[in-house]
Amino acid sequence: GAGVSQTPSNKVTEKGKYVELRCDPISGHTALYWYRQSLGQGPEFLIYFQGTGAADDSGLPNDRFFAVRPEGSVSTLKIQRTERGDSAVYLCASSYDRAGELFFGEGSRLTVL
Amino acid sequence: AQKVTQAQTEISVVEKEDVTLDCVYETRDTTYYLFWYKQPPSGELVFLIRRNSFDEQNEISGRYSWNFQKSTSSFNFTITASQVVDSAVYFCALSEWRSSYKLIFGSGTRLLVRP
């Protein structure tokens, strides 16, 4: 497909479990971003990748959250020991350059019971 | 500190009415970027516009227009002759030059256009 693809679209898990969310950006986009959107709120920045490296991970809430992009394309957001407060929609976006238009995926809705 | 305020939580209009969505921002930088995104029920944010802080010219794109006023730190968005398909949540966002990759979003305005 031509757009940003995120899987799974929905994930329900139990408190304490480990979760992985995947993002497949638009081909050729070197910049990749993760945002988190809670109900009724705007998206909040989590992490920015330029190529394979995390250029800014200042938005990750704590050390339970980690993201990788080993080959500079697909990225995985990993959440350890999930808590109910982690429930949100996790949005991935990609862009051609760091200040350009962001193309967002439809998000992965995470529910922690 | 950077902040974006969208005071209107929800707006309801009848089709063909004009509607303006307000956005007020705060930043200490002199170089920054302002954005509007649309989020339909599918959840995917759709880019509408980006303006840089040196370009205060108003912009029109079809039924959409944007009014950027540095004096009041506002970047308002007007939809003329609204249509049912315009129903969505609209987000205003800010990024600063040094961290232009990081968008700071407002809390959004939900627009409902009734037939």
Side-chain angles (χ1 to χ4, degrees):
Chain A
V4 176
S5 175
Q6 291 189 245
T7 54
S9 54
N10 271 290
K11 176 72 176 178
V12 180
T13 192
E14 293 178 345
K15 181 174 177 294
K17 298 289 188 184
Y18 169 80
V19 164
E20 287 191 355
L21 306 175
R22 176 190 166 106
C23 173
D24 201 340
I26 292 172
S27 178
H29 281 188
T30 58
L32 184 145
Y33 317 78
W34 284 97
Y35 283 78
R36 180 167 74 171
Q37 186 174 22
S38 300
L39 193 62
Q41 299 298 315
E44 293 178 302
F45 171 82
L46 294 177
I47 187 169
Y48 157 60
F49 286 91
Q50 184 58 48
T52 60
D56 184 346
D57 64 358
S58 62
L60 295 177
N62 51 59
D63 60 7
R64 296 186 296 105
F65 288 74
F66 190 70
V68 296
R69 195 186 183 199
E71 296 177 359
S73 179
V74 171
S75 175
T76 305
L77 178 65
K78 307 180 181 196
I79 311 173
Q80 297 178 322
R81 304 183 305 280
T82 51
E83 299 177 357
R84 292 195 180 89
D86 299 335
S87 297
V89 176
Y90 290 82
L91 295 166
C92 178
S94 68
S95 66
Y96 183 70
D97 60 45
R98 57 175 261 164
E101 173 186 346
L102 266 60
F103 292 84
F104 282 85
E106 293 188 352
S108 291
R109 181 177 298 277
L110 175 65
T111 303
V112 182
L113 302 177
Chain B
Q2 323 97 321
K3 186 178 178 182
V4 175
T5 301
Q6 295 181 257
Q8 303 151 309
T9 305
E10 190 165 322
I11 301 176
S12 180
V13 299
V14 176
E15 205 170 18
K16 297 183 184 174
E17 285 185 14
D18 298 348
V19 58
T20 295
L21 310 182
D22 297 334
C23 173
V24 173
Y25 62 92
E26 293 176 32
T27 177
R28 291 179 182 168
D29 270 13
T30 56
T31 304
Y32 52 89
Y33 304 92
L34 296 165
F35 303 78
W36 277 94
Y37 278 84
K38 174 181 180 180
Q39 189 174 42
S42 63
E44 181 179 339
L45 282 122
V46 177
F47 170 86
L48 296 178
I49 189 171
R50 182 183 83 160
R51 304 294 283 181
N52 74 54
S53 52
F54 297 111
D55 184 0
E56 282 193 76
Q57 279 197 353
N58 291 332
E59 181 152 341
I60 298 174
S61 177
R63 297 184 297 106
Y64 295 170
S65 61
W66 291 270
N67 183 3
F68 177 23
Q69 292 200 344
K70 261 183 165 176
S71 60
T72 55
S73 297
S74 65
F75 186 45
N76 296 339
F77 172 33
T78 297
I79 302 174
T80 302
S82 59
Q83 299 176 2
V84 172
V85 293
D86 296 327
S87 296
V89 181
Y90 291 85
F91 291 97
C92 180
L94 161 76
S95 71
E96 296 177 330
W97 177 72
R98 286 180 193 79
S99 55
S100 57
Y101 52 84
K102 184 189 295 188
L103 267 60
I104 297 140
F105 284 86
S107 55
T109 297
R110 180 177 299 277
L111 174 65
L112 175 63
V113 182
R114 308 187 311 277

